[in-house]
Amino acid sequence: MTEPYDDGHDAPPNDYDPESERHILGAAINEPHCAYELLDINPEAFHVPAHRDLHHLITATIRNGEPLDPSILLAQTRNLKATGTTTPLNRLILSLIGTGYAASLHFHIDRITHLHHARKLIATAATLNQHANEALTNNSPETLAAAIHNATQTLTNASTPNRNATTYADILDDWWEWQEKPLDTAGIIPTPWPELNDLLNGGLHPGKSYICGGRPGTGKSLIGLNLAGHAAENDHQASIFSLEMDRLEVMSRLLAAGAHADAGQITRHKLDTHNHRLLAEYTNTYPALPLDIVDNSSITIDEIASHAHNARRTTGLDIAVIDYLQLVTATNRKDPREQQIAHMSRTTKILAGQLKIPIITACQLNRSGVTADRPPVLSDLRESGSIEQDADAVLLLHHEKHPNGEPTGMVDIIVAKNRVGRQGKISLPWRANQSRIG
């Protein structure tokens, strides 16, 4: 007979329900098809630390494509202690075998999700109250504004997964209505390059995730900034998340590209009369572009998502650029690197759909093809196959060379994957001296 499992907690208070948490985990272990429901549950919804440990183990097993078998889970946790107790984690698994059923799974998921939201709300209210009192005491509007901003972000992240399904018949009526209307191009944001717009069916589509892959120095950051700058010039609200360059460096590249000015002179702080005039004319024409820059080298994908949601709700947001994926800080640093990248990639895809905006993510390519000097392919996307899988379109950059090894001065944009148009290749002038392509 299995010994009772001690989770290290006394009788439960009103803000969490350990039995519902156990029911969900038991259903996932005993009926493996139920385990996929755990992917939609915030780990923090499990209040008992040991339950969060097991949630993490089950979801990691699913994402790695491994079979969810109790015997395998027991073997994996033989020497692991559950967080907050001295009890082996495999004893929790043993205590859950034979418990939990699919029929009541959603009831228990809703139960722990609502309790999690309640805990968040209570904690956020307490923090906001404390900061409000500090703001009044210190006569500091900035403190109050920051507290409101942080509270809003916290509450925005508390969202319940949508499990509603629509029948074929209902969708069919909507489809005919959609099909008989003229094509709505209002939400499509054109790129600066007509040839690329042709391949992408007009430009960047709302709700789609775009990957711009390149090896170091080939322009993966440049293309993202060019896309964001061009969108902003055409009155589309843009956000740039820069993990490699600070805001002044990003601004330098945006201004050089927009004004067709010499980027080297900007970097050296030595503008001649001609370039000074170009920059003055550009900044007079565009004194307040609808664009913001977040320069944070340690930002996580969840923080990017929070900022984007907040921007969409306040100033509006039409397009976002992330530069670049492999520099984004992992939400869970204990996960294998491939799993970390897969989480970032999937979150970016989901975020684009939620906000109904195009998201352009710069991505590092493997260096393996550099010596062969061949054009990049999808398999060169670095560290995770999930990047290719999640993307709606993948643009790969390649610089052709003359037979003597000298660059041709052109850059190829290879549309290697495209769910919203055709695959193909375009060649554009490479103008790194002006921080732009084309």
Side-chain angles (χ1 to χ4, degrees), residues 177-195:
E177 182 180 348
W178 167 79
Q179 178 60 215
E180 290 168 359
K181 289 180 179 178
L183 179 63
D184 180 13
T185 60
I188 299 175
I189 299 177
T191 76
W193 312 291
E195 305 97 319

Side-chain angles (χ1 to χ4, degrees), residues 87-221:
T87 310
L89 190 57
N90 64 356
R91 188 176 295 178
L92 170 60
I93 297 172
L94 285 170
S95 74
L96 293 172
I97 294 176
T99 67
Y101 302 97
S104 57
L105 181 61
H106 285 167
F107 168 82
H108 292 287
I109 291 175
D110 288 342
R111 168 83 174 145
I112 71 165
T113 301
H114 294 155
L115 289 171
H116 172 233
H117 290 172
R119 293 195 300 271
K120 279 282 187 184
L121 185 59
I122 291 168
T124 303
T127 301
L128 187 58
N129 181 61
Q130 176 187 345
H131 289 164
N133 285 326
E134 290 175 0
L136 289 173
T137 302
N138 301 324
N139 191 24
S140 173
E142 294 81 6
T143 301
L144 184 58
I148 293 172
H149 173 73
N150 292 335
T152 303
Q153 286 188 321
T154 300
L155 297 177
T156 298
N157 288 336
S159 59
T160 304
N162 180 10
R163 302 189 186 92
N164 296 329
T166 310
T167 65
Y168 172 91
D170 289 338
I171 299 172
L172 188 60
D173 290 338
D174 292 340
W175 183 85
W176 277 113
E177 182 180 348
W178 167 79
Q179 178 60 215
E180 290 168 359
K181 289 180 179 178
L183 179 63
D184 180 13
T185 60
I188 299 175
I189 299 177
T191 76
W193 312 291
E195 305 97 319
L196 184 59
N197 292 334
D198 183 53
L199 290 176
L200 299 179
N201 272 345
L204 304 170
H205 291 242
K208 303 302 180 184
S209 174
Y210 296 83
I211 292 292
C212 294
R215 301 182 184 108
T218 58
K220 66 181 183 297
S221 298

Side-chain angles (χ1 to χ4, degrees), residues 14-341:
N14 293 329
D15 64 353
Y16 76 101
D17 185 345
E19 289 308 312
S20 282
E21 295 180 14
R22 287 175 56 83
H23 184 103
I24 295 165
L25 296 169
I29 291 172
N30 294 291
E31 302 186 53
H33 68 278
C34 294
Y36 290 90
E37 297 282 352
L38 271 65
L39 296 172
D40 289 331
I41 303 175
N42 188 323
E44 292 183 4
F46 291 90
H47 187 268
V48 178
H51 294 170
R52 285 199 297 273
D53 292 344
L54 188 51
H55 171 273
H56 174 72
L57 178 63
I58 292 172
T59 54
T61 301
I62 294 171
R63 291 192 177 103
N64 291 336
E66 299 169 358
L68 191 65
D69 183 275
S71 62
I72 295 176
L73 293 178
L74 288 169
Q76 290 176 330
T77 57
R78 183 176 295 114
N79 298 316
L80 295 179
K81 295 289 191 297
T83 301
T85 77
T86 58
T87 310
L89 190 57
N90 64 356
R91 188 176 295 178
L92 170 60
I93 297 172
L94 285 170
S95 74
L96 293 172
I97 294 176
T99 67
Y101 302 97
S104 57
L105 181 61
H106 285 167
F107 168 82
H108 292 287
I109 291 175
D110 288 342
R111 168 83 174 145
I112 71 165
T113 301
H114 294 155
L115 289 171
H116 172 233
H117 290 172
R119 293 195 300 271
K120 279 282 187 184
L121 185 59
I122 291 168
T124 303
T127 301
L128 187 58
N129 181 61
Q130 176 187 345
H131 289 164
N133 285 326
E134 290 175 0
L136 289 173
T137 302
N138 301 324
N139 191 24
S140 173
E142 294 81 6
T143 301
L144 184 58
I148 293 172
H149 173 73
N150 292 335
T152 303
Q153 286 188 321
T154 300
L155 297 177
T156 298
N157 288 336
S159 59
T160 304
N162 180 10
R163 302 189 186 92
N164 296 329
T166 310
T167 65
Y168 172 91
D170 289 338
I171 299 172
L172 188 60
D173 290 338
D174 292 340
W175 183 85
W176 277 113
E177 182 180 348
W178 167 79
Q179 178 60 215
E180 290 168 359
K181 289 180 179 178
L183 179 63
D184 180 13
T185 60
I188 299 175
I189 299 177
T191 76
W193 312 291
E195 305 97 319
L196 184 59
N197 292 334
D198 183 53
L199 290 176
L200 299 179
N201 272 345
L204 304 170
H205 291 242
K208 303 302 180 184
S209 174
Y210 296 83
I211 292 292
C212 294
R215 301 182 184 108
T218 58
K220 66 181 183 297
S221 298
L222 217 58
I223 190 172
L225 296 184
N226 286 180
L227 289 169
H230 182 73
E233 288 174 359
N234 288 276
D235 295 322
H236 297 289
Q237 184 71 43
S239 282
I240 298 170
F241 298 91
S242 176
L243 293 97
E244 191 171 30
M245 298 180 284
D246 65 33
R247 65 186 187 279
L248 293 178
E249 190 174 358
V250 173
M251 194 70 168
S252 294
R253 294 194 178 198
L254 288 170
L255 293 176
H260 296 189
D262 189 308
Q265 290 190 16
I266 293 174
T267 302
R268 294 191 298 272
H269 297 214
K270 291 184 177 181
L271 293 175
D272 61 22
T273 303
H274 172 68
N275 284 281
H276 191 283
R277 178 179 57 79
L278 290 175
L279 288 162
E281 289 175 353
Y282 182 80
T283 53
N284 286 335
T285 304
Y286 299 105
L289 283 176
L291 182 147
D292 64 69
I293 300 166
V294 179
D295 57 341
N296 183 346
S297 61
S298 61
I299 197 169
T300 67
I301 194 65
D302 296 328
E303 289 169 336
I304 289 174
S306 177
H307 178 95
H309 275 287
N310 186 56
R312 181 70 166 171
R313 188 180 59 255
T314 52
T315 61
L317 184 60
D318 301 315
I319 181 173
V321 172
I322 301 172
D323 182 29
Y324 59 89
L325 185 68
Q326 284 87 355
L327 290 182
V328 176
T329 299
T331 303
N332 189 339
R333 300 189 184 187
K334 294 181 180 179
D335 287 343
R337 182 58 178 167
E338 183 175 351
Q339 189 173 317
Q340 295 173 1
I341 295 293

